[in-house]
Amino acid sequence: MKYFTVYILECADASFYTGITSNLASRIAIHQSGKTRGYTSSRLPVKLVWYKEFIDDPSQAIIWEKRIKGWSRRKKKALINGDWDKMVQYSKNYTEYNHKID
């Protein structure tokens, strides 16, 4: 069985990085080393704050990664915190409503 993992890292500047891997521990070590020469290399250290595993189906993992990358910061924070009510609330088009969403 092969696992594909979508993950979110919180960077030292409080930004989030979303990625996909087949070896989470190794991938986080690469991010922490600064050898990626990408987004996280100048924002060290990073901390794993969320992940979801997909068994034998990389296509579902890729869909989730792309979906999360398109989300707002507050929606990502709701996912990380497991706050499903806010996930639903932040999924709505807030411009259609007359009330403020925090």
Side-chain angles (χ1 to χ4, degrees), residues 41-59:
S41 64
S42 63
R43 294 168 172 85
L44 296 174
V46 296
K47 176 175 71 171
L48 178 66
V49 292
W50 181 88
Y51 69 95
K52 179 175 176 62
E53 293 180 329
F54 298 83
I55 301 170
D56 292 328
D57 192 356
S59 63

Side-chain angles (χ1 to χ4, degrees), residues 4 7 18 24 33 59 67 92 96-98:
F4 300 90
Y7 61 94
T18 303
L24 185 58
S33 74
S59 63
R67 181 180 295 155
K92 296 178 181 174
E96 295 178 9
Y97 299 91
N98 293 327

Side-chain angles (χ1 to χ4, degrees), residues 1-41:
M1 232 182 299
K2 186 146 178 133
Y3 288 89
F4 300 90
T5 306
V6 177
Y7 61 94
I8 300 175
L9 301 176
E10 184 173 13
C11 301
D13 65 358
S15 64
F16 293 125
Y17 174 84
T18 303
I20 185 172
T21 185
S22 60
N23 186 331
L24 185 58
S26 174
R27 187 67 180 135
I28 291 172
I30 291 168
H31 280 291
Q32 289 289 24
S33 74
K35 294 179 183 177
T36 61
R37 295 186 345 165
Y39 183 84
T40 60
S41 64

Side-chain angles (χ1 to χ4, degrees), residues 79-97:
L79 174 67
I80 292 163
N81 294 329
D83 190 335
W84 309 121
D85 291 336
K86 284 193 177 181
M87 285 282 299
V88 171
Q89 184 180 19
Y90 297 156
S91 294
K92 296 178 181 174
N93 182 350
Y94 64 89
T95 61
E96 295 178 9
Y97 299 91

